[in-house]
Amino acid sequence: MGSIRWGLAFAVVLSTIAEMASTTSAGTDPNKTVVEEVTGWLRLYSDGTVERRTPPGAEPFTAIVQPYAEPRNGVTVHDVTTASGVDVRLYLREPRRAPARRPVLVHFHGGGFCVSRPSWALYHNFYAPLVGKLDVAGIVSVFLPLAPEHRLPAAIDAGHAALLWLRDVACDKDGNDGAHLAPAVERLRDEADFSRVFLIGDSSGGNLVHLVAARAAKDGAPLHPVRLAGGVLLNPGFAREKKSRSELEKPPSLFLTEEMVDKLLLLAVPVGMNKDSPYTSPLLAAEAVAHLQMPPMLLMVAEQDLLHDPQVEYGEAMVHAGKVVETVVSRGAVAHIFYLNFFAVESDQLTAERTSELIDTIKAFINRH
């Protein structure tokens, strides 16, 4: 029950912050008012500016981890600005003398399309060691444009741009008139099997696994020699306007509350849309790809996730549409993106066991494809 207790305590903190925030003004500018707020995480002001915040107690997760070229536990981390205009963070294995080519993961972070960065400790502490645990050449984590300044499909465009950059890397260029690759990118080029690229994403990043794969399936620009071999949706952020039973009955967690589901997704979709859109609705997302050649998908669901029911609904709808989707549920008192809560993973036996099982499931899926 450790991870659930974490979440309930955090929800109380957020409620307290909401009461305090309601009595505060938007700085000293009398013409600048708060028009929308996601408690503890984000404020949207009347002049269009956005303030992203960190709730008390979440600072360890939002701490920025700087890149490092000296190996730590056999992994190096590099930030790269690509010629396609998207920034990526590379997690690479320590160089080997005669490396066999291994798969590559392209990672999309969560945050309801509105908050978080790949450089947060929340992601680093899971994805840096994951390189070795999965025995992949590297993980390419995309710095996504954030809503509401950059509403969807901006994040989809960035994810697709990362795939086009990988294509250029595989062809020994960075997309800028064949310019030489940076040393870290050269390592990726030399060790990666570009015919086995897997998309992976947490929460709303799981939605992007689906959406970017769909974009690649219908886009006219060829990705060869890059081939999408599969997608891994980790507790994706699917939801509909009509709340599911899990949203109404399951407790909030450290990283997901009912308010976050309602407000972040509304700020992320194009103006005039709501959660009943192909970006967020499990049924509409599946219907939108009915006639596309989608890669096989692994869908990971947490039993106590607020979005448990829409996630399961997505898997069922995809199978009904003729797609290959394997749904695996992490049983017990584990909630939304539990595996990223490194405090719970270290202190709670159930969370640690379910995280290990999740990693083993991802590895088996990659090995099969």
Side-chain angles (χ1 to χ4, degrees), residues 72-265:
R72 300 178 189 175
N73 298 316
V75 176
T76 60
V77 177
H78 313 265
D79 287 347
V80 176
T81 298
T82 73
S84 61
V86 63
D87 293 339
V88 298
R89 169 159 287 203
L90 302 182
Y91 297 95
L92 299 178
R93 292 284 296 273
E94 194 171 2
R96 298 180 178 181
R97 288 188 177 183
R101 289 193 174 270
R102 299 185 298 278
V104 180
L105 270 59
V106 176
H107 170 246
F108 305 126
H109 64 77
F113 307 105
C114 295
V115 297
S116 89
R117 309 305 288 153
S119 50
W120 280 10
L122 178 74
Y123 301 109
H124 171 273
N125 288 11
F126 180 76
Y127 282 97
L130 192 66
V131 175
K133 292 176 181 178
L134 298 184
D135 193 28
V136 295
I139 298 175
V140 180
S141 188
V142 183
F143 283 84
L144 298 167
L146 299 178
E149 304 97 317
H150 306 283
R151 290 175 178 257
L152 294 166
I156 304 170
D157 295 338
H160 188 67
L163 293 180
L164 295 178
W165 173 74
L166 265 186
R167 177 199 63 187
D168 291 336
V169 170
C171 296
D172 200 23
K173 59 182 181 179
D174 69 356
N176 186 13
D177 298 325
H180 291 298
L181 301 176
V185 180
E186 285 185 346
R187 281 171 51 194
L188 179 66
R189 175 205 61 195
D190 293 341
E191 299 184 14
D193 180 354
F194 291 100
S195 69
R196 296 180 66 207
V197 173
F198 293 83
L199 306 181
I200 186 170
D202 321 282
S203 191
S204 58
N207 298 46
L208 287 173
V209 169
H210 172 93
L211 295 165
V212 172
R215 170 71 182 277
K218 63 184 177 183
D219 192 81
L223 290 176
H224 182 78
V226 168
R227 182 182 71 89
L228 293 185
V232 180
L233 297 80
L234 301 177
N235 305 169
F238 291 111
R240 295 184 289 132
E241 281 297 298
K242 182 180 179 180
K243 293 188 182 297
S244 64
R245 182 174 178 178
S246 62
E247 290 173 79
L248 296 173
E249 296 183 356
K250 294 186 183 295
S253 71
L254 178 60
F255 301 112
L256 191 67
T257 64
E258 190 175 335
E259 179 196 21
M260 293 170 72
V261 174
D262 291 340
K263 293 183 177 180
L264 290 177
L265 296 185

